[in-house]
């Protein structure tokens, strides 16, 4: 079956612009996660959805970052007033739930802020 | 605070040989799951193996096995008969607590040499 799909695969934007990153999870997966991965580092947690609600957004670095999942499926990560430090690969993952369920990842979106 | 430590930033192994990647962690939980993920240059994170902390038997998946030492909070990955396709970043991960998202280590870059 189809895996986790992320679009676009690459995004270049100018400092100060607004960007949206999209994630389409595996059908039937209720949990959805956003991670950010800087060069040479492991993924860092940003936000986690269970259904439509954000169950844990403690990883969002500041109020420029926001994510939604209005119908409990597709999610959009939104970044306002982008800064060069936001440049990274943004990974989305989905799972059947927490704890024992492994995460299934997409290929990520590489965001470059110039 | 939850930490996951991978002390080997880079490792190399000859094709067909065996290599072990180390991971130590800190958690206050008693029952939890631990995971090893592989990230090839294609960027997609792929689940390699999963271990349930309450099981004494070490998990095995074909050429991949773990050495799980619960008391020592150690979770190493052994790759037998290494293949060129095993070249990738390898990340150890576990939940902070029972129902929180995975925390990842910084990764070990493994190169398999022909």
């Amino acid at each position: 079956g189809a895996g986790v799909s992320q679009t676009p695969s690459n995004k270049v934007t100018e400092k100060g612009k607004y960007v949206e990153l999209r994630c389409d999870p595996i059908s039937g997966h209720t949990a959805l996660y956003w991670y950010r991965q800087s060069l040479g580092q492991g993924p860092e947690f940003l936000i986690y959805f269970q259904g439509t609600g954000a169950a844990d957004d403690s990883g969002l670095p500041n109020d420029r970052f926001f994510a939604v999942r209005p119908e409990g499926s597709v999610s959009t990560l939104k970044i306002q007033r982008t800064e060069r430090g936001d440049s990274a690969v943004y990974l989305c993952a989905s799972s059947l739930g927490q704890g024992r369920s492994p995460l299934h990842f997409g290929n990520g979106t590489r965001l470059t802020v110039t | 605070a939850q930490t996951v430590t991978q002390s080997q930033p880079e490792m190399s192994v000859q094709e067909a040989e065996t290599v072990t990647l180390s991971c130590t962690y800190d958690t206050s939980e008693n029952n939890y799951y631990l995971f090893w993920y592989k990230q090839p240059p294609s960027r997609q994170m792929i689940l390699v193996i999963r271990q349930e902390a309450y099981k004494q038997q070490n998990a095995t998946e074909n050429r991949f096995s773990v050495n799980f030492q619960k008391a020592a909070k150690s979770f190493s990955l052994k790759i037998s008969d290494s293949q060129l396709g095993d070249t990738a970043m390898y990340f150890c991960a576990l939940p902070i607590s029972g129902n929180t998202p995975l925390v990842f280590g910084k990764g070990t870059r493994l190169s398999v040499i022909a």
Side-chain angles (χ1 to χ4, degrees):
Chain A
V4 177
S5 175
Q6 289 188 249
T7 54
S9 56
N10 289 283
K11 175 71 176 178
V12 180
T13 191
E14 292 181 350
K15 178 173 178 282
K17 298 290 187 182
Y18 168 83
V19 296
E20 290 189 352
L21 311 180
R22 176 189 168 104
C23 173
D24 199 339
I26 292 172
S27 178
H29 280 191
T30 57
L32 185 145
Y33 309 78
W34 285 99
Y35 284 82
R36 179 168 70 174
Q37 186 176 24
S38 300
L39 191 63
Q41 301 293 316
E44 293 180 315
F45 168 72
L46 294 176
I47 185 170
Y48 148 60
F49 288 89
Q50 182 63 45
T52 60
D56 184 348
D57 64 357
S58 61
L60 295 177
N62 52 59
D63 61 6
R64 296 186 296 106
F65 288 74
F66 188 71
V68 296
R69 194 186 186 199
E71 297 179 357
S73 178
V74 172
S75 176
T76 305
L77 178 65
K78 308 180 180 191
I79 310 174
Q80 298 177 323
R81 305 183 303 281
T82 52
E83 299 177 357
R84 291 193 179 89
D86 299 335
S87 296
V89 174
Y90 289 81
L91 296 169
C92 177
S94 68
S95 78
L96 289 171
Q98 275 287 35
R100 69 181 66 188
S101 302
L103 272 59
H104 299 264
F105 285 84
N107 285 341
T109 294
R110 181 180 298 281
L111 175 66
T112 304
V113 182
T114 62
Chain B
Q2 181 76 3
T3 60
V4 180
T5 302
Q6 293 182 249
S7 59
Q8 304 149 316
E10 293 188 22
M11 292 193 73
S12 61
V13 62
Q14 291 285 336
E15 197 175 6
E17 296 296 310
T18 295
V19 64
T20 298
L21 310 182
S22 67
C23 174
T24 58
Y25 60 92
D26 186 23
T27 181
S28 56
E29 295 295 310
N30 190 45
N31 292 326
Y32 49 93
Y33 287 77
L34 303 102
F35 303 86
W36 276 98
Y37 281 86
K38 167 185 177 181
Q39 187 178 41
S42 67
R43 221 161 61 193
Q44 185 175 21
M45 300 278 280
I46 301 165
L47 177 67
V48 174
I49 198 164
R50 174 176 63 174
Q51 173 75 42
E52 301 172 61
Y54 62 86
K55 285 190 175 179
Q56 291 187 334
Q57 185 174 7
N58 288 325
T60 299
E61 289 286 344
N62 300 315
R63 297 182 296 107
F64 299 88
S65 61
V66 302
N67 182 3
F68 175 51
Q69 303 290 330
K70 190 174 182 181
K73 295 181 179 176
S74 171
F75 180 56
S76 60
L77 174 70
K78 185 170 84 170
I79 306 174
S80 303
D81 186 25
S82 298
Q83 300 176 359
L84 296 177
D86 295 333
T87 293
M89 287 289 291
Y90 286 82
F91 295 97
C92 174
L94 76 158
I96 295 173
S97 62
N99 285 311
T100 56
L102 295 183
V103 174
F104 287 81
K106 290 190 174 182
T108 296
R109 182 179 302 279
L110 176 67
S111 298
V112 180
I113 303 166

